[in-house]
Amino acid sequence: MIRQWEVSILSFRIRIAAVCLAVACTLAAFAGASAGTAAGKPEISRFLLANGLEVVVIPDRRAPVVTHMVWYKSGSAEDPRGKSGLAHFLEHLMFKGTRNVPAGEFSGKVAEIGGQENAFTTVDFTAYYQKVSPQALEMVMFYEADRMANLVLTEAVIEPEKNVILEERRSRVDSSPGGILGETVAALLYKHHPYGIPIIGWEHEIKGLALDDAMQFYKQHYRPDNAVLVVAGDVEAQNVLELASRTYGKLPPGEGVVPVNRVVEPEPVAARSAEYFDERVTTPSFERFYLVPSYQTAQPGEAEALDLLASILGGSTTARIYRKLIVEDEIATGAGAWFQGASRGQTRFGLYGRPRGKFTVEDVERAIADVLDDIIENGVSEEELNRQRNALLKSVIFERDSQTTLARLYGTVLSLGGKIEDIHQWPDRIAAVTVEDVNAVARKYLRPQRSVTSYLRPKP
C-alpha cells in the first residue's frame, strides 16, 4: 500500500500536542526499563534493545485491543537513482514468506483471530502494523521479527508482484488527473531532492526492478537498529519489553551504516507553474505549494509558526481564506491552506481553491493572493492567533482518541529522527508562538520564488 507524500503526511501533521496533554511521557534506557507513572495518568515507556531496536509502549486500556507497528526509517527517498519505487516494491514483497514461514501464513493467522493488518510506504519511512487482541501480541511479534531477518524471495514472486504495482500505479496515478499533475508538481518543487520522485516509482523503472535490488535494499535497511517498534493498547510495558526481548531481541544488529540518500534542496530562485487539461476533470482547481522547512529542518519556533499560519489562513471555517472566498464572496466551493510539518527534509505549505458557478480558477487564485498579501503586509492579529491556536490544540485532543492514531504519531516522530520529548513539549512551543513569529514566517517563506502553482482544468 502506498501512502502518497502529499496525502498521508498532510493528514498526519505533527499535531502532537494533545497526546501529551493527557499522558506522561517518560524516557527510560533499556537497563532502567520504564519509569514511574504520573499520578492518574498513563505512561509512555521507551526501551532500547541491545541490537538497536527502539521500543515504545503506549498503554490504552479502554478496550482489549493492541496496535503493533514496526517502522523502518527508510522510505522511497532511499531508492537508488534509476530504481524508483524500490522501497514500495519491497513493502509488497515482505508478504511473500520467510525461511521459517510460508507466504500467507502471517496474514492468515491475523485474519483467523479477527485482527487487521496492513503496511504503507512514504518518502521517509515504511511501516507494517497489526491490530489484534492482547493475547495475540506475542504471535504477531514472532512473525514480524521473523520477516525482519529471514525474508526469502524468488524470481517466481518478482514479476507477478511488479504487475500488481504497475496496476496500482495505473489506478492511483495514471487514471487520476490529480495524480498525474501531482507528480509534475513534485518534480518542479524538488529539482534536486528525491522527494521529487514518486513513491510508487516511474513505470519504466518499476519494470526494471529485480530480485537483487529488493534483497539489497532489504539487507541494508530492514534491521533492528533502523527500526522503531510501537505497541499501543491494553498492555503492560514490562510485558511488552519481555516479549520484544524474546522475539526481536534475538535478531543480530545490522552491519555497517544504513545508507541514507538525502541531499539538501537548494534555495529556489524562480516561481514555477504547471497546467494540466483532462477530459475527466469536471471542476477546475488551483493549488500553490511553497517550499518551507519542516519540524526537522526549521529554526526553533518556525515550524510551529507555520502550523499556526496555515490555521489562520485556511485551517477551518473561521479561517481567512474560507471566510473570504466561501462565506463572503461566494466564489469558491472549497478553499484553504495546510502545512505538512512531518518530514525529514524541506516540506510544503499549500494553498488551494475550486471556483463556484460562473467564477474561474483565476478569480479564486486572485482572491487567495489578496488574502495572503494582506497578511504579509499587515500581519495577523492577536485575537485570530489565539483563536486558531485554541482550535489547533482542541483538534488534536480529539485525534488522540484513536489508539492507532497515537501509535502512528509516535512512530512518525521517532522514525523522522524526533524524540518523545518533541511530542511532549509541542503544546508549550505552540503556546509560545507570537504574532511576530507568524508574520515573520509568512514574509520569509510565502514568496513567489519559493512556489509552484498548479492548474487542473477540464479538457476543452
Side-chain angles (χ1 to χ4, degrees), residues 124-313:
D124 288 318
F125 48 76
T126 307
Y128 302 81
Y129 70 91
Q130 300 83 33
K131 196 167 186 178
V132 296
S133 66
Q135 294 75 20
L137 178 58
E138 184 169 13
M139 181 266 287
V140 296
M141 279 188 168
F142 163 78
Y143 282 113
E144 199 64 84
D146 176 59
R147 69 176 172 181
M148 183 183 288
N150 299 309
L151 179 69
V152 173
L153 298 179
T154 65
E155 292 290 354
V157 304
I158 294 296
E159 290 304 319
E161 203 58 38
K162 279 199 290 188
N163 290 333
V164 170
I165 292 175
L166 288 168
E167 179 55 35
E168 183 179 343
R169 182 184 162 84
R170 282 190 285 273
S171 64
R172 288 177 176 270
V173 181
D174 302 334
S175 299
S176 166
I180 294 169
L181 183 58
E183 285 191 342
T184 300
V185 167
L188 288 172
L189 194 65
Y190 296 100
K191 58 184 179 184
H192 186 47
H193 195 280
Y195 286 173
I197 299 172
I199 297 170
I200 199 168
W202 301 114
E203 179 178 349
H204 66 286
E205 292 186 351
I206 295 171
K207 291 178 177 176
L209 296 177
L211 187 153
D212 288 347
D213 298 326
M215 287 308 299
Q216 184 173 2
F217 194 96
Y218 175 71
K219 291 174 182 175
Q220 291 177 328
H221 297 275
Y222 281 55
R223 42 195 278 182
D225 57 339
N226 193 43
V228 178
L229 168 65
V230 179
V231 178
D234 189 11
V235 293
E236 296 288 344
Q238 188 61 34
N239 185 46
V240 172
L241 173 60
E242 292 170 3
L243 295 177
S245 299
R246 291 206 298 265
T247 51
Y248 295 98
K250 293 180 178 179
L251 304 180
E255 296 181 359
V257 178
V258 179
V260 177
N261 182 29
R262 303 303 170 105
V263 292
V264 176
E265 181 68 20
E267 279 292 299
V269 295
R272 291 135 287 163
S273 66
E275 187 174 35
Y276 181 64
F277 295 85
D278 193 296
E279 60 189 10
R280 293 166 292 187
V281 175
T282 56
T283 304
S285 59
F286 151 86
E287 289 187 272
R288 179 163 296 156
F289 305 88
Y290 296 88
L291 188 71
V292 298
S294 67
Y295 272 89
Q296 296 301 315
T297 64
Q299 295 296 313
E302 284 192 336
E304 292 82 358
L306 285 166
D307 235 338
L308 286 165
L309 174 61
S311 295
I312 291 168
L313 272 170

Side-chain angles (χ1 to χ4, degrees), residues 321-330 332-335 356:
I321 289 176
Y322 189 94
R323 284 205 322 269
K324 179 64 176 172
L325 275 71
I326 296 178
V327 177
E328 297 174 11
D329 296 346
E330 298 182 346
T333 58
R356 174 180 180 179

